[in-house]
Amino acid sequence: MSFVEFEDVSKVYHTGEVEVRALDGMSFSIKKGELAVIVGPSGAGKTTVLNLLGGMDSCTSGTIRLDGQLVSGMGERELTQYRRHDIGFVFQFYNLVQNLTALENVELASQICRDPLPAADVLAQVGLADRLDNFPAQLSGGEQQRVAIARALAKNPKLLLCDEPTGALDYRTGKQILSLLQDSCKAGGRTVVIVTHNLAFTQMADRVIHVREGRAASIETNDHPSDASQVEW
Amino acid sequence: MARSAYMTELVRSVRGSLGRFLAIMCIVALGCGFYAGLRMCGPDMRAAADRWYDGSALWDLRVVSTKGLSDAQVERLSKVKGVSQVMASRTADVVCKLGSDQVAVRVTSVDADAARKSKATSAYAVSSSKGSYLNRARLVSGRWPKAAGECVVSADATRKIKVGSTVEVVSASEDVSTILSTTMLKVVGTVSSPDYPYTGSFGSTRLGSGTIGQYVFVTASTFASDYPYTDAYLTVGSARAAVSGSSAYESAVDKVKDRVEKIEGSLAADRLAELKSQAQSRLDAQVAAAQAAAAQAASAGASTDLSAAQQQLAAAQEQVDSMAAPDVYTLDRSQSEGATTYEADTERLDRIATVFPAMFFLVAALVALTTMTRIVDDDRQRIGTHKALGYGKGRIAAMYLGYALLASGLGAVLGICVLTQVLPRIVMDAYSVIYVVPTLEFPLPVDVGTALAAGGLGVGVTLASTLVAVAASLAEVPAALLRPRAPKAGKRILLERVRPLWRRLSFSWKVTFRNLFRYKRRLLMTLAGIAGCSALLLVGFGLHDSIWDIIDRQFGPIVRYNATVTLADGAAQADVDSAIACLRSKGDATGIVRVHTDTMLARGTGSSSAATDKTRVSVVVPQTASKLASAVTLRDRTSGAAIAFGQDSVVVTEKLASLYGIRAGDTIVLYRQDDVGNATGKGVRLKVDAVAENYVGNYVYVGRRAWRRAMGATPSFSTVYARVTGGSKAESRTSDALHDIAGVSTVSFTRQTISTYRHTLSVVDMVVVVLIVSAGALAFIVLYNLTNINVSERVREIASLRVLGFTRREVHAYVYREIAIIALLGDALGMLLGSWLERFVITTAEVDYVMFGREIHPLSFAFAFALAMAFTVAILLLMRPRLDRVDMVESLKSVD
């Protein structure tokens, strides 16, 4: 029984009179506790997968399941609850609330969900024990992304969904963030999905889903993923 | 090419931020429109009056003689240089019976022939082929009088008289038969006269209550055959082009007035000579008759009565010889009550117009500043690109200045065009309740200077704000501009020091508080906008309170009597007793107080013009000091404490005291007045013991002994105040019975006064509506703009929150809580601002004889506060879809 399941999912956008088929029969599944990387060039449908899996949009046809729960077909209200309790989202540009400290940014997420992890502990886990009271503007990019990851983790979500998590970071910092994500998967037993255009990330994944023209072009499993610190790009 | 690229950019940026563009445009429209519109109210009203005065050939100068005028003097007046036309007429004030009341009526003779041939060419002009037919009234219904005993009455009087009815003249200051040839006047039509623009009072008189309640025009034949002309009306051609009341008008009239005044003495001497020769010839005839009779008697042999007759004739001769010259006065329009009341009202509007718009300009500046700052911040990259391409600062700034100029310029034109038409119209309509001046038609005139000043202010304020907003960004180097602006850093606020409290707050509250202090300009703009809104609302409700309080507090709590009975001077004690008995039996009257009343002129003791300008006051001297309290409540307004009144007391009412800055212990000077209302004599000085609450009229209450000391005489106490119970029926029953008693001169009831006031004050409700509407518009623009900026600035944040799983409701709360707090604060601030503004408006709008209520009722505070909040909530609800439309995908986008 797979944890995440996309079954023949299509998504059609209408912009004006033009019909854009962003996903065209996308099917894949991810097992619980896996670190999956969804990779592909721009325009292949990565972001649409992210939007659908993250509960930010609904698909046109097909079924999407998370942990046996049918996500496709959820209404706006149910989707909000789904995002609130089941998904931890890590943005490319962190998206921290500038006016809240690191600790408060984490608490911002944890205060709205059912059984959150203690915010200070999570921040300590990501190595920011001594930056709790700093505002985002006082943190470096890597530190900000750690706060964002902590914010996602503190919600104790079923799925950690990351959108180009190293996209705005330099190489060294990017690697540290990848390690942190791999850690929370391996040590924390959390299912992690990373959406990226960077093929190098495939080395550290348990499962790699190549996306091309709205379909899963190939799915590979990697029995011995390399350590994130070994990933080179 | 550069120009067209510039225009293209300008048009695109307007289209790209239509909401902001409209916000700037609307607030500038509101500011400029209010300024220009309110500024034009006074001039428009004066222009309307001037058009009417000119169109109906209203007099510029009026010459009055206490012993009349003859054709010879009228002829002399027409020869004075500068005088265009002269019309002589007869006027007399009489008391007429109208229903249960006796009303003072001004009877004026009209050139019936010219009047009949005249033609009303519009609501404001009456044409006549006879140039010397002046003060042309417009026939409203019926026809002009033809025969003696026919009359036309005012169509504008609050007390209407039907065509076909008959008005009975009951008394006058002298025997009615010496004035009129008949006492029954048949009403054949109604007219509207430019000499009486103010319906609240057609003038003052020595008869009855002191106020003319109706005017009638009759044929010359309705006056007694030997009743001379009383007035000569003059027009000054050179003053016609100027607006009545303006300084140009006054200087033109004054030149002629000076010349007329120079011949006043010789006119008086002329008149005296005429009167003397008339009297002499009458006397001579008598002497001749007496001599003839004597001769006859002598021939009959009886000469005993002759010496007595001779003595009588000698006394008569002496009387003729010692005949005094008449007083001749020259009056101008500033001495005409209606015209001056009207003009004073328009000047009051001018003063109010200087304060109100300031608030709108302030808010306009803040709106422009925040909006332009936001636009410039959004455009960082474009500014950077332009700079990198080598455009100069001026060229880039011109782009934003162009945008601001376009928005504010359009707003200014729109606001000025619309509100200079709408506002004066509303104000004129409101005033038409008490003034019969025909209002101007659309399009109303727009003074170029006023329009330019308003537009210049609005556009200038916006451009200045834009420069401030642009300057900061232009100072940065292109490289810095091409990078996204570092988000405004979070900051700790003072409240966080209060750890226990801070820890208890949820995040949205923490963010709310931090945001409040993070965006100071926005805080200020919203604060000013909402405060302005609630202040306007409070002014509206407060005005309503203050004005209706006049009636509610004056009649009942302060003036406890509702009937005033005046007896002729020197009425017998028995007549007074029977009048009082009648009040008791027919009207179940209580609180009967006998007083002496007199209309005098008062001034303060200082030497400044404010202290020496005299005000008409009613002096009341009760026969028994202790009884006054049952007719009039004398109390201090603030403490409510009763004021003791004794034989030696002098109490002045509050408005009078404030006009001259009089407090207990100060001195007031009272003068007697002559026929045309000028002060005579040196005046008497009275030491004031207390100041009493009062709203309508100015009163000086003087104890009997104090009065005798000051005036050297004991008054006649010919007025009786009483409280008649049993409503209007009892009042008319009592009135009818009183009129049958000898010596009773007038009977009046406050019921009529109250209804006149209610009518007059309904003007205010219109103003309240205008204020509420503009308050709503102000709130809308400010909150719309604020929410718009708030949302667009925080799109990422809002999108992220949605991704994190915040529900719509939670997002609304997150964004709106901040606005709601500012709105609450602004609303509270507006209460302070509003009470201050209301006080200003009240004191500016007050007339000399009325004091408005000084308190705003608690309920009005509650209403104004709640309504401002309701506006806020409504606008926030309206803006909700804007928040809901924020796409979650925004959170994935790069910062640009």
Side-chain angles (χ1 to χ4, degrees), chain B residues 310-367:
Chain B
Q310 264 171 346
Q311 249 171 14
Q312 250 177 18
L313 289 171
Q317 182 62 50
E318 200 175 318
Q319 228 175 8
V320 170
D321 293 341
S322 66
M323 207 183 253
D327 290 324
V328 174
Y329 308 101
T330 308
L331 312 179
D332 57 33
R333 284 186 195 162
S334 72
Q335 279 146 301
S336 158
E337 186 176 334
T340 39
T341 310
Y342 184 80
E343 207 185 301
D345 264 352
T346 66
E347 280 161 8
R348 231 165 265 129
L349 277 171
D350 290 346
R351 264 176 284 158
I352 290 173
T354 54
V355 173
F356 261 97
M359 193 162 58
F360 287 94
F361 279 124
L362 175 72
V363 177
L366 286 165
V367 167

Side-chain angles (χ1 to χ4, degrees), chain B residues 133-358:
Chain B
Y133 172 45
L134 305 182
N135 312 337
R136 297 166 194 165
R138 183 171 53 88
L139 191 66
V140 176
S141 67
R143 59 169 178 84
W144 285 98
K146 281 181 207 157
E150 288 183 341
C151 73
V152 286
V153 300
S154 167
D156 311 314
T158 42
R159 181 180 279 276
K160 303 272 184 251
I161 304 177
K162 283 202 187 88
V163 173
S165 63
T166 304
V167 174
E168 185 191 354
V169 179
V170 290
S171 65
S173 55
E174 50 196 298
D175 188 357
V176 178
S177 67
T178 64
I179 303 171
L180 298 175
S181 60
T182 170
T183 55
M184 301 303 276
L185 300 174
K186 188 168 184 295
V187 181
V188 296
T190 61
V191 295
S192 185
S193 166
D195 210 2
Y196 305 92
Y198 177 48
T199 58
S201 157
F202 290 140
S204 59
T205 176
R206 291 188 154 184
L207 299 175
S209 62
T211 303
I212 304 281
Q214 250 292 359
Y215 60 83
V216 307
F217 290 105
V218 297
T219 59
S221 58
T222 307
F223 275 89
S225 58
D226 58 351
Y227 193 76
Y229 294 137
T230 51
D231 316 66
Y233 294 102
L234 283 57
T235 55
V236 177
S238 58
R240 218 180 140 84
V243 173
S244 180
S246 67
S247 54
Y249 171 84
E250 277 171 4
S251 77
V253 171
D254 282 349
K255 265 184 213 141
V256 181
K257 189 182 180 187
D258 285 347
R259 287 183 208 127
V260 174
E261 277 173 342
K262 280 205 189 91
I263 63 164
E264 272 176 0
S266 91
L267 286 175
D270 252 22
R271 180 64 184 156
L272 178 63
E274 270 175 17
L275 289 172
K276 267 190 177 171
S277 84
Q278 277 168 18
Q280 192 62 55
S281 57
R282 262 201 306 272
L283 189 61
D284 289 347
Q286 274 173 17
V287 169
Q291 277 167 351
Q296 217 171 26
S299 68
S303 63
T304 40
D305 277 357
L306 198 59
S307 66
Q310 264 171 346
Q311 249 171 14
Q312 250 177 18
L313 289 171
Q317 182 62 50
E318 200 175 318
Q319 228 175 8
V320 170
D321 293 341
S322 66
M323 207 183 253
D327 290 324
V328 174
Y329 308 101
T330 308
L331 312 179
D332 57 33
R333 284 186 195 162
S334 72
Q335 279 146 301
S336 158
E337 186 176 334
T340 39
T341 310
Y342 184 80
E343 207 185 301
D345 264 352
T346 66
E347 280 161 8
R348 231 165 265 129
L349 277 171
D350 290 346
R351 264 176 284 158
I352 290 173
T354 54
V355 173
F356 261 97

Side-chain angles (χ1 to χ4, degrees), chain A:
Chain A
M1 180 68 197
S2 37
F3 191 66
V4 177
E5 215 174 277
F6 261 59
E7 218 178 289
D8 197 22
V9 174
S10 295
K11 175 70 187 176
V12 182
Y13 291 107
H14 296 274
T15 42
E17 293 184 6
V18 187
E19 198 176 81
V20 179
R21 196 160 276 272
L23 291 189
D24 189 12
M26 171 75 74
S27 299
F28 64 84
S29 58
I30 299 166
K31 290 207 173 86
K32 189 168 178 153
E34 277 185 340
L35 191 154
V37 168
I38 298 175
V39 72
S42 21
K46 292 188 311 267
T47 308
T48 312
V49 172
L50 185 86
N51 286 348
L52 296 180
L53 192 52
M56 292 186 265
D57 209 346
S58 318
C59 58
T60 314
S61 67
T63 52
I64 302 169
R65 280 198 171 79
L66 176 73
D67 195 13
Q69 192 185 4
L70 189 68
V71 178
S72 49
M74 277 185 179
E76 132 106 46
R77 214 171 275 265
E78 290 164 290
L79 279 176
T80 302
Q81 293 303 311
Y82 168 74
R83 290 196 302 270
R84 192 173 184 130
H85 301 301
D86 299 338
I87 301 293
F89 210 102
V90 178
F91 302 92
Q92 182 177 1
F93 300 100
Y94 339 129
N95 293 14
L96 298 178
V97 178
Q98 294 297 324
N99 233 354
L100 292 178
T101 60
L103 180 68
E104 286 160 354
N105 260 293
V106 177
E107 286 176 330
L108 174 70
S110 61
Q111 71 159 351
I112 58 165
C113 60
R114 272 191 292 265
D115 39 14
L117 306 173
D121 292 359
V122 182
L123 275 167
Q125 261 176 49
V126 300
L128 290 176
D130 52 352
R131 310 303 298 268
L132 298 185
D133 288 332
N134 284 93
F135 284 99
Q138 298 164 326
L139 299 171
S140 71
E143 286 171 326
Q144 288 192 53
Q145 192 60 300
R146 283 166 199 259
V147 176
I149 291 171
R151 183 173 65 182
L153 289 174
K155 284 168 80 177
N156 203 3
K158 289 180 176 167
L159 186 69
L160 194 62
L161 202 52
C162 313
D163 177 29
E164 298 280 12
T166 64
L169 299 174
D170 59 76
Y171 176 76
R172 279 171 60 93
T173 322
K175 268 195 176 179
Q176 287 167 8
I177 294 297
L178 287 183
S179 297
L180 182 60
L181 290 173
Q182 198 174 37
D183 268 7
S184 58
C185 176
K186 297 293 166 245
R190 202 170 300 282
T191 314
V192 177
V193 175
I194 299 173
V195 175
T196 182
H197 70 281
N198 196 334
L199 282 167
F201 291 10
T202 55
Q203 300 160 33
M204 58 177 271
D206 297 311
R207 186 182 294 268
V208 180
I209 300 155
H210 290 274
V211 181
R212 194 157 300 141
E213 290 176 354
R215 292 163 175 275
S218 67
I219 299 170
E220 305 160 13
T221 48
N222 202 346
D223 291 337
H224 303 286
S226 52
D227 193 82
S229 60
Q230 305 299 312
V231 175
E232 298 287 340
W233 71 88

